[in-house]
């Protein structure tokens, strides 16, 4: 397969691009993570959300520990080529390492960020390695 | 107003954070741009999408030239505090400088990014200054 489509992505100085995962049915934004070239290529190849973990400096197959795999439905690129949008089905209905459906669970209310979405599952019961609950 | 909520945002090394603008009704993702502290504060104060243009190195009141203002409905922050999500009403129904509803108009089809969404209005008729059609 030609790699022109990968060359057309505008990678930042670290070789990364932000990727938004959106629920393909509800339109809810689930999370934003980063991809390097390999992560984007593998996402397409394996038809699931695969990212680059900046904190762990390695590929992160979303759901590898939790089972909360993101099955790919569509990939889009924005007009200046520097943001990726994934339409996914979020297995288990939980994208966030806090056990919530979405990472965007805090709303600005006056001068405070208020968590408004419920924890669906305790993180301790999601992750095998309790010492490293955060996916990223 | 206390500025603790601004301190709780995890600004990157350039003092910026990516912000997603999403249509508050349809859930369509309109665009992603960047905000500095001032842009985020002004977005809340003026209840409209205000960004930091990295290319022009100045504040960018979305719609200042085009009239395509983004009226704010809600602001969310993600779990690690490094991405902002705006729920907006996109006046004029056009967020992209190409004259399309959304900047995410290209879909990966095999090994090609294919523009699939229509141009609703020619950019030349949107922007007064034809020499600088791009908002960012």
């Amino acid at each position: 397969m030609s790699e022109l489509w990968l060359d057309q992505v505008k990678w930042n100085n670290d070789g990364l691009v932000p990727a938004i995962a959106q629920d393909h049915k509800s339109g809810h934004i689930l999370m934003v993570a980063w991809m390097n070239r390999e992560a984007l290529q593998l996402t397409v190849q394996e038809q699931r959300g695969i990212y680059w973990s900046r904190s762990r400096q390695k590929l992160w197959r979303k759901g590898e520990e939790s089972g909360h795999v993101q099955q790919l439905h569509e990939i889009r690129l924005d007009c200046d080529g520097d943001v990726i949008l994934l339409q996914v089905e979020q297995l288990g209905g939980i994208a966030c390492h806090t056990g919530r459906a979405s990472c965007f669970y805090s709303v600005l209310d006056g001068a405070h960020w208020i968590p408004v979405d419920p924890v669906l599952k305790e993180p301790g019961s999601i992750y095998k390695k309790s010492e490293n609950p955060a996916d990223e």
Side-chain angles (χ1 to χ4, degrees), chain A residues 5-6 9 11 17 35-45 50-51 59 75 77 84 86:
Chain A
W5 67 282
L6 286 165
V9 175
W11 308 97
V17 74
M35 289 182 168
N36 62 6
R37 192 176 170 101
E38 188 184 5
L40 178 54
Q41 195 161 27
L42 287 171
T43 292
V44 172
Q45 205 171 299
I50 298 177
Y51 305 95
L59 281 177
I75 298 195
L77 183 66
I84 299 283
L86 309 180

Side-chain angles (χ1 to χ4, degrees), chain A residues 27 61 91 135:
Chain A
R61 284 179 163 75
L91 300 191
D135 254 337

Side-chain angles (χ1 to χ4, degrees), chain A residues 113-125:
Chain A
W113 299 106
I114 309 287
V116 293
D117 297 338
V119 172
L120 302 176
K121 200 170 174 181
E122 284 307 318
S125 68

Side-chain angles (χ1 to χ4, degrees), chain A residues 20-23 28-33 51 60 62-63 66-70 88-105 118 120-121 126-127 133-136:
Chain A
I20 306 168
Q22 183 176 32
D23 184 292
H28 290 149
I29 297 179
L30 301 170
M31 52 179 267
V32 171
Y51 305 95
W60 163 35
K62 172 72 184 163
S66 61
H68 296 153
V69 168
Q70 296 176 335
V88 302
E89 180 176 348
Q90 176 62 66
L91 300 191
I94 293 174
C96 186
H97 73 282
T98 63
R100 293 178 173 89
S102 162
C103 294
F104 293 90
Y105 56 79
L120 302 176
K121 200 170 174 181
I126 298 176
Y127 298 96
D135 254 337
E136 206 200 6

